[in-house]
Amino acid sequence: MANIVEPTIFELSSPGRRGVTMPASDVPEASLPPKELLRSELPLPELAEVDVVRHYMKLSKFNYSVDDGFYPLGSCTMKYNPKINEDTCRLPGFLFTHPLQPIETVQGNLALMFEMQEWLKEISGFAGVTLQPAAGAHGEFTGVLMMAAYHKLRSDTKRTKMLIPDAAHGTNPASVGMLGMQVVTIPSDERGNVDLEKLKAACDDTVVGMMLTNPNTLGMFDEHIEEVVKLVKDCGGLMYGDGANLNALLGIVRPGDLGFDVMHFNLHKTFSVPHGGGGPGSGPVGVSQRLVDFLPSPLVGIVEEGDDEMAPLYGFVTPKNSIGRMKAFHGHFGGGLVRSYTYIAMHGPDGLKDIAQYAVLNANYLQARLRGTYHIPYDRICMHEFVMEGQFEGSDVRALDISKRLMDYNFHPPTNYFPLIVHEALMIEPTETENKDTLDRFADALIKIAEEAKTQPELLHNAPSTTQFGRMDEVKAARELVLCCWLPENYEA
Amino acid sequence: MNTPSNLKYAKSDEWFDPATGTVGISDYAQNQLSDIVFVEILVEEGEEVTVGKAIASVESVKASSEIYAPAAGKVSAVNKGLSDKPETLNSDPYGEGWMIKIESGQAGEVMDASEYEKYCEGRSH
Amino acid sequence: MTYIPISSAERDAMLKTVGVKSLDDLFEAVPAKHRFPELNLPPALTEMEAAAHLGELASTNENVREHLISFLGAGAYHHYVPSVVDHMLRRGEFYTAYTPYQPEISQGTLQAIFEYQSLMTNLTGMEVSNASHYDGATAAAEAVNLAYAQYRGKRKKLVLSPAVNPQYREVIRTYTQGMGVDTAGDDAENHDGGPEALIPLIDESTMLVTVQYPDFFGRIYDYTDLIKVAHEKGALVCVVANPTALVMLKTPGEMGADIVVGEAQPFGIPLWYGGPYLGFFTTKKSYVHKMAGRLVGETVDVRGNRSYVLTLTAREQHIKRERATSNICTNQGLLALCASVYMSTLGKQGLQEVANLCYQKAHYAASELSKLDGFGLCHTEPYFHEFVLCCPKPASEVNQYLLDNGILGGYDLGKDYPDMQNHLLVAVTEMNSKDEIDTLVEILKEM
């Protein structure tokens, strides 16, 4: 029998125990639906409020979080999440507005959304923005749908191929797969740029477009970005920008100015929406002039112009050739847009540029400190992140072992085994919200671990040893597939 | 690495038995995939397959791979028990872990055992 | 530089280590003509100013707690959220953690999701639940993806009930536009038939039948017969369910459903002007490999501790790439936690009280409203906490009149169903007191 560190909420249940009680009914009693429409049992836990609080407090302490310490997870932008955002997004005016209220009663929400659309357009250099997509991958799917709709409206039906670099996130090909298009993989060159010759060979009149992450997942800004964009456009394709790495570009360059046609934002990365253990995120999408008519519906617009005395009336508008609705209602308003709006408002244009500059400085500083100890296959000035190899000549230590050992030094590991084109990849993104002391401690720990890999490799193979839990048996989980639990068998309610 | 000499091997790591038409994945492939937790055979008995057609999808704890037909012809049998015991692909890739049989199958580009061994060694660096 | 903890002296030392003179020198790979654009954005606010500005925006709204009596539902419901819920959500350990890729230091998130999965399967009567989707609408669309993948594109017909939430139907149309799906039944002018009207549409090319429970008009149907027919034709059935109603009603699992999805916003998530919400997705074990989304499974660690990991990850986009069922990476982890704390705090009895209050108050409201001249219930089927009220005037006029009297009326069904211009979808929850309901009746009486 496995040792139980914390019982499940079901195991903690005791028949007849009560948490929050609801008021008695104040209306005459109506008869229930016929018995055959009612459920026979409700096997849910019964606990007192204090039981619930202690359970979740205990669980919370099993987690490592940004509030605990350094979380250099490459490509995820685990920056500090300002506390003020938690207050603004919970203002009663936001919390208690129903998404289907008449627009006259929610002008505050609509003004915020309208301004957010304008701000994101200005930051990215695009002509239109939808706030509807719920997450980055959802934004990608939105973008790819618009690209397909653009070609379709022009009756350009032979375009079925999407060009995707080998360093891309898995969501790129998966988004394309959802539309039944074919993926053509474009390799990277030795400096971490798109291989121009290979790209040229792939560009023809069957190309829908290209999905490019820039800076890419190696942390490299493509040195030939203008040629890449030109090649794709010359063959009639559209340029998709994966905005995962936008943190490096705020106030530095606008993807719209570089010729991109469409890009998703990750508000949970760049604009400090907390990651919440995996979500909710928020993935607005910006588009160039030629795609504005295809944006999902509805968008927020001005439905009655204002004047000196009257504010304009905000409402919803539907783009002419809209691909349709991506989700119910209007996007991740409360948890996503309000937090990001607060964050952008507090930074202003100079503050946003500072974010990118310091994110890039921190990454380059760490890269400089680790160069020489770890092999960095694409070694030049990086953007907000860099990738190094977690392996050493003549040692059986792997990137995974290094990651697990970092936990013993009380750091969250970097991203492992991604991008796929680097062996034993360790992808490190420090973000701008870490100080020099933290970066130095982290670099010192990695240098020490490299030494341990030579002298005491078992320390790495057996890591972590100081954490509450050790390495998990992932094969058992996948083979036995215990995916939920129930009330204990002898439970009598 | 186990590579029975009576079998032929495709570059994409399937084996093909010219005598019986049986198809599976090589010992090298199961080892690369590591612990296999899911197999789905994508073709049915009686279906015609061409060389390179995806005949199965395999997932391990860390990887996912499609299995392609190394030969063309009509599928005469499918190993139906495999989906309940995907780990058989790890433990017995040339026996109980067979996937399909292709009746009078015409092999595509395949290697013999020694060529295949060299090919695998070349990839492990 | 509000959140950047680096002094100028430290910055200079770091630049020296990197080997560049200034921060701007780090960006030479960026084309010079586009480098460092002037952004036309308002100047930075301090925290104090931002708090005031956001407070002002929020107070421009009329909200359902302070200003308006609400009978509006149609996919988002105003329920009481016990205080404990937000206290737990505000734990930085939960909300500032990422997807639990490193299980040794993520057991909090992992066990919470495992418990969420368990709560949802117990509620729906299904065998497995994933770690959640963006919302009910996208979960319903992902059910189509599952069915499409299950039949490997060989079956392309979707039988979609016209009484599924219109926004969900729109999202399904958006999601499937590249798949060549042939949709039957989704006809806004023929919406009254119930399950019997769908049965003849199911044939051997049908991959999925999608119905709602209670349906968009609030009607409760037992889908057992429909599901039986679908299974005879080899099709899967997806039931879009309201979680509060499931506390009281026969589970879709008991009816034989293959997939049960829905919007879990009613379980502790604020209205928040439409999001973020929580799409739940539950199914049978045999479809788990085709299900999108994250999944947590139980295992042990090297020290013999029971623990949890993300499992079957090879189905997902980061490994399977273009062959994955979906591109989703999200689990709405924090909101799954929200729903779990909500369900645990109310517990079995508290949830039953909530469901019963919704039911009783909706039936009181329906009974009083239908006594008014010119008003009446449009349907005779059993309903839970939402029903269609036939009005003597267009619903838009009724709503405007109610709004002038501080009441957020129901949902104007004429927007989606051309022959329902005088029809109002009214939702009543435990938040509506008898006084509020009586006020609604009084005001309508004077209309």
Side-chain angles (χ1 to χ4, degrees):
Chain A
M1 273 301 278
N3 173 47
I4 294 174
V5 183
E6 170 65 7
T8 66
I9 199 91
F10 286 79
E11 289 162 340
L12 291 168
S13 175
S14 177
R17 233 184 256 179
R18 306 237 25 193
V20 168
T21 305
M22 298 306 292
S25 174
D26 55 358
V27 297
E29 192 169 342
S31 55
L32 292 180
K35 196 158 177 287
E36 56 272 20
L37 285 176
L38 301 179
R39 66 185 298 155
S40 46
E41 52 168 12
L42 185 65
L44 293 178
E46 298 171 77
L47 301 99
E49 182 171 320
V50 63
D51 304 328
V52 174
V53 169
R54 292 205 177 134
H55 174 65
Y56 286 105
M57 284 297 287
K58 182 112 182 239
L59 292 189
S60 77
K61 291 173 191 170
F62 294 163
N63 268 5
Y64 187 97
S65 68
V66 173
D67 280 359
D68 287 304
F70 190 40
Y71 212 125
L73 202 58
S75 225
C76 301
T77 315
M78 297 299 288
K79 61 171 72 180
Y80 171 71
N81 306 126
K83 296 299 170 195
I84 179 69
N85 295 352
E86 299 311 301
D87 296 340
T88 54
C89 78
R90 287 172 171 87
L91 287 162
F94 298 138
L95 278 186
F96 301 110
T97 38
H98 190 288
L100 299 170
Q101 278 185 223
I103 56 169
E104 294 79 5
T105 65
V106 284
Q107 285 297 300
N109 293 344
L110 292 168
L112 184 150
M113 291 172 77
F114 184 79
E115 216 167 359
M116 190 71 179
Q117 288 174 183
E118 295 300 305
W119 289 357
L120 292 179
K121 277 153 69 175
E122 177 64 19
I123 289 167
S124 59
F126 285 116
V129 162
T130 169
L131 303 174
Q132 209 176 89
H138 203 221
E140 264 181 45
F141 185 40
T142 307
V144 176
L145 281 169
M146 285 191 275
M147 292 164 83
Y150 171 85
H151 292 305
K152 192 175 168 196
L153 191 77
R154 296 156 54 94
S155 305
D156 199 349
T157 50
K158 62 182 174 304
R159 294 187 182 270
T160 55
K161 288 185 200 150
M162 188 71 86
L163 312 179
I164 299 182
D166 54 5
H169 295 111
T171 49
N172 292 176
S175 301
V176 168
M178 285 171 83
L179 270 165
M181 295 174 187
Q182 293 152 260
V183 173
V184 178
T185 303
I186 308 295
S188 306
D189 71 12
E190 70 283 356
R191 284 183 63 80
N193 298 314
V194 171
D195 186 323
L196 283 178
E197 287 311 310
K198 300 276 167 50
L199 175 63
K200 203 175 286 174
C203 282
D204 60 25
D205 62 0
T206 63
V207 167
V208 175
M210 179 176 198
M211 296 182 85
L212 183 67
T213 312
N214 186 42
N216 65 16
T217 59
L218 298 163
M220 301 285 129
F221 193 95
D222 199 294
E223 293 166 305
H224 315 296
I225 184 64
E226 290 177 297
E227 288 100 308
V228 171
V229 172
K230 187 166 186 305
L231 280 173
V232 174
K233 296 215 159 172
D234 284 352
C235 78
L238 294 161
M239 254 338 259
Y240 187 98
D242 181 326
N245 297 341
L246 190 67
N247 210 44
L249 302 184
L250 298 174
I252 305 298
V253 63
R254 308 193 310 166
D257 293 346
L258 292 172
F260 283 86
D261 294 294
V262 49
M263 183 192 79
H264 72 265
F265 299 81
N266 294 88
L267 299 188
H268 47 288
K269 296 180 181 177
T270 317
F271 299 112
S272 83
V273 174
H275 284 75
S282 184
V285 172
V287 293
S288 65
Q289 196 59 48
R290 53 179 174 167
L291 289 180
V292 285
D293 289 341
F294 298 90
L295 282 165
S297 58
L299 305 172
V300 177
I302 292 176
V303 291
E304 269 175 46
E305 289 296 337
D307 55 34
D308 292 346
E309 278 151 42
M310 284 281 284
L313 182 71
Y314 298 102
F316 293 105
V317 293
T318 299
K320 191 168 66 179
N321 303 314
S322 175
I323 54 164
R325 175 178 281 285
M326 292 304 298
K327 68 184 292 296
F329 311 125
H330 329 297
H332 281 178
F333 175 80
L337 305 181
V338 178
R339 284 176 170 124
S340 292
Y341 179 97
T342 309
Y343 184 78
I344 295 173
M346 285 181 64
H347 278 83
D350 298 336
L352 291 180
K353 186 178 173 194
D354 285 336
I355 288 172
Q357 289 195 318
Y358 281 85
V360 172
L361 174 66
N362 281 359
N364 277 285
Y365 179 70
L366 269 184
Q367 183 176 241
R369 289 241 20 222
L370 293 167
R371 185 181 287 129
T373 308
Y374 289 85
H375 180 232
I376 297 169
Y378 300 90
D379 192 3
R380 59 178 166 100
I381 293 283
C382 65
M383 291 287 110
H384 62 303
E385 68 191 0
F386 65 99
V387 181
M388 58 186 205
E389 289 180 6
Q391 59 183 2
F392 307 101
E393 195 75 34
S395 161
D396 62 350
V397 159
R398 308 185 60 194
L400 185 77
D401 302 314
I402 295 167
S403 284
K404 299 299 182 194
R405 183 63 180 153
L406 272 169
M407 296 177 191
D408 286 333
Y409 289 90
N410 206 19
F411 292 111
H412 194 283
T415 296
N416 291 174
Y417 302 107
F418 189 80
L420 307 172
I421 57 173
V422 174
H423 294 292
E424 298 294 321
L426 288 169
M427 184 194 207
I428 300 174
E429 179 181 11
T431 84
E432 74 282 4
T433 61
E434 297 302 329
N435 64 34
K436 183 169 175 293
D437 299 339
T438 302
L439 301 178
D440 281 329
R441 280 192 298 109
F442 181 70
D444 292 344
L446 274 170
I447 291 165
K448 188 142 180 251
I449 290 170
E451 187 57 34
E452 290 171 351
K454 290 179 195 116
T455 56
Q456 298 168 276
E458 68 285 357
L459 276 181
L460 279 73
H461 292 311
N462 298 332
S465 58
T466 61
T467 52
Q468 199 143 9
F469 292 85
R471 289 196 198 187
M472 312 286 160
D473 186 346
E474 297 191 22
V475 177
K476 177 185 164 77
R479 290 244 162 101
E480 296 179 6
L481 279 188
V482 177
L483 303 173
C484 59
C485 56
W486 287 273
L487 290 167
E489 262 172 43
N490 55 356
Y491 195 90
E492 284 170 27
Chain B
M1 191 169 66
N2 176 13
T3 41
S5 59
N6 60 322
L7 304 178
K8 300 287 182 194
Y9 300 86
K11 268 192 162 174
S12 45
D13 300 306
E14 296 83 7
W15 56 263
F16 173 62
D17 184 343
T20 61
T22 313
V23 173
I25 62 168
S26 71
D27 185 44
Y28 176 88
Q30 71 77 18
N31 192 40
Q32 288 290 309
L33 283 161
S34 80
D35 304 283
I36 293 167
V37 297
F38 177 64
V39 186
E40 183 184 19
I41 308 278
L42 304 172
V43 292
E44 285 154 30
E45 273 175 41
E47 198 174 321
E48 289 286 338
V49 293
T50 50
V51 173
K53 183 187 163 72
I55 54 163
S57 176
V58 174
E59 289 170 21
S60 69
V61 171
K62 294 283 178 216
S64 153
S65 183
E66 291 216 307
I67 310 301
Y68 304 103
K74 192 161 132 189
V75 179
S76 60
V78 165
N79 186 351
K80 295 204 176 74
L82 212 48
S83 58
D84 292 329
K85 287 186 134 189
E87 60 275 16
T88 317
L89 280 178
N90 292 121
S91 58
D92 192 8
Y94 299 109
E96 292 292 305
W98 69 276
M99 291 182 153
I100 62 167
K101 281 187 183 163
I102 302 176
E103 203 171 77
S104 54
Q106 294 298 306
E109 233 178 88
V110 286
M111 295 170 260
D112 65 27
S114 63
E115 283 174 316
Y116 180 65
E117 276 178 24
K118 267 185 224 134
Y119 167 70
C120 291
E121 274 163 33
R123 285 188 294 173
S124 54
H125 297 292
Chain C
M1 285 184 49
T2 321
Y3 303 103
I4 298 171
I6 295 171
S7 72
S8 48
E10 287 166 329
R11 176 198 62 205
D12 293 343
M14 291 165 77
L15 286 169
K16 205 170 159 203
T17 305
V18 174
V20 296
K21 290 210 170 58
S22 72
L23 289 169
D24 284 358
D25 290 349
L26 295 167
F27 298 98
E28 283 185 354
V30 177
K33 68 171 184 288
H34 298 303
R35 212 183 293 162
F36 309 134
E38 288 291 320
L39 298 182
N40 180 20
L41 295 172
L45 302 180
T46 61
E47 181 176 310
M48 192 166 119
E49 291 162 329
H53 175 56
L54 271 291
E56 205 170 299
L57 278 173
S59 64
T60 310
N61 298 323
E62 292 176 57
N63 70 61
V64 300
R65 187 158 91 167
E66 297 162 319
H67 311 102
L68 299 165
I69 298 174
S70 173
F71 294 95
L72 188 52
Y77 300 89
H78 186 33
H79 286 286
Y80 181 73
V81 181
S83 176
V84 175
V85 175
D86 197 46
H87 283 277
M88 293 300 105
L89 292 198
R90 282 209 181 220
R91 296 289 304 178
E93 296 90 333
F94 283 129
Y95 82 78
T96 74
Y98 193 54
T99 305
Y101 291 133
Q102 300 290 346
E104 299 87 348
I105 51 174
S106 311
Q107 284 300 302
T109 298
L110 286 161
Q111 184 167 339
I113 292 177
F114 180 80
E115 292 176 1
Y116 161 81
Q117 291 174 181
S118 308
L119 289 161
M120 294 321 294
T121 50
N122 278 279
L123 182 73
T124 55
M126 301 301 285
E127 292 167 343
V128 293
S129 161
N130 71 8
S132 69
H133 282 281
Y134 309 131
D135 66 3
T138 57
E142 291 280 8
V144 182
N145 282 342
L146 185 156
Y148 189 84
Q150 180 65 24
Y151 294 108
R152 300 196 288 273
K154 287 174 186 164
R155 288 180 175 227
K156 294 204 167 181
K157 184 169 171 184
L158 167 68
V159 175
L160 180 57
S161 160
V164 168
N165 185 320
Q167 292 206 353
Y168 289 31
R169 289 186 282 119
E170 274 184 69
V171 173
I172 289 172
R173 281 197 286 274
T174 308
Y175 263 58
T176 55
Q177 58 191 269
M179 287 157 55
V181 169
D182 156 33
T183 305
D186 180 14
D187 176 358
E189 290 179 18
N190 272 307
H191 46 72
D192 262 346
E196 286 75 24
L198 297 175
I199 286 176
L201 304 175
I202 306 169
D203 59 25
E204 269 79 17
S205 68
T206 307
M207 56 172 170
L208 184 72
V209 182
T210 299
V211 292
Q212 187 168 320
Y213 179 67
D215 73 11
F216 189 61
F217 307 119
R219 299 174 298 188
I220 302 169
Y221 290 109
D222 188 332
Y223 292 115
T224 306
D225 292 343
L226 172 102
I227 292 169
K228 198 160 157 272
V229 172
H231 286 172
E232 280 164 11
K233 307 275 183 190
L236 306 185
V237 177
C238 171
V239 175
V240 179
N242 178 295
T244 313
L246 289 184
V247 170
M248 178 182 279
L249 302 178
K250 179 174 179 179
T251 66
E254 272 180 88
M255 298 176 193
D258 301 288
I259 306 167
V260 183
V261 301
E263 176 53 70
Q265 176 273 331
F267 278 3
I269 299 169
L271 287 170
W272 247 351
Y273 200 51
Y277 289 172
L278 172 67
F280 66 86
F281 193 110
T282 59
T283 183
K284 293 176 177 168
K285 214 162 185 173
S286 42
Y287 305 121
V288 68
H289 287 274
K290 291 290 186 291
M291 179 173 69
R294 308 283 190 193
L295 191 60
V296 173
E298 185 183 303
T299 188
V300 290
D301 74 356
V302 289
R303 302 168 203 166
N305 293 317
R306 184 175 70 187
S307 41
Y308 305 92
V309 290
L310 290 173
T311 194
L312 298 188
T313 55
R315 333 173 322 289
E316 293 183 51
Q317 47 75 29
H318 63 283
I319 292 175
K320 222 166 177 181
R321 298 176 83 90
E322 65 268 29
R323 292 185 295 114
T325 304
S326 165
N327 72 350
I328 196 166
C329 322
T330 283
N331 64 74
Q332 301 281 82
L334 195 64
L335 300 177
L337 177 72
C338 181
S340 296
V341 180
Y342 175 87
M343 283 190 267
S344 308
T345 305
L346 282 169
K348 180 181 158 179
Q349 290 188 50
L351 285 168
Q352 283 170 332
E353 287 166 3
V354 170
N356 191 52
L357 284 172
C358 289
Y359 182 89
Q360 296 294 343
K361 286 169 187 259
H363 284 70
Y364 173 71
S367 136
E368 295 300 306
L369 287 168
S370 55
K371 288 177 195 159
L372 296 176
D373 269 354
F375 290 87
L377 294 193
C378 304
H379 300 115
T380 53
E381 288 84 357
Y383 56 96
F384 177 65
H385 69 345
E386 214 162 8
F387 56 86
V388 180
L389 184 69
C390 299
C391 309
K393 285 182 177 181
S396 54
E397 285 177 37
V398 177
N399 269 341
Q400 186 56 52
Y401 168 76
L402 287 173
L403 188 61
D404 294 340
N405 287 281
I407 295 178
L408 211 46
Y411 180 76
D412 172 4
L413 287 165
K415 288 194 238 176
D416 303 291
Y417 301 92
D419 63 346
M420 297 185 91
Q421 297 304 323
N422 289 13
H423 297 55
L424 206 55
L425 181 66
V426 178
V428 188
T429 72
E430 79 281 7
M431 302 301 277
N432 297 110
S433 64
K434 178 168 179 294
D435 281 352
E436 288 184 0
I437 297 167
D438 291 340
T439 305
L440 171 72
V441 174
E442 281 308 309
I443 288 173
L444 281 180
K445 194 186 279 176
E446 287 158 23
M447 185 172 78

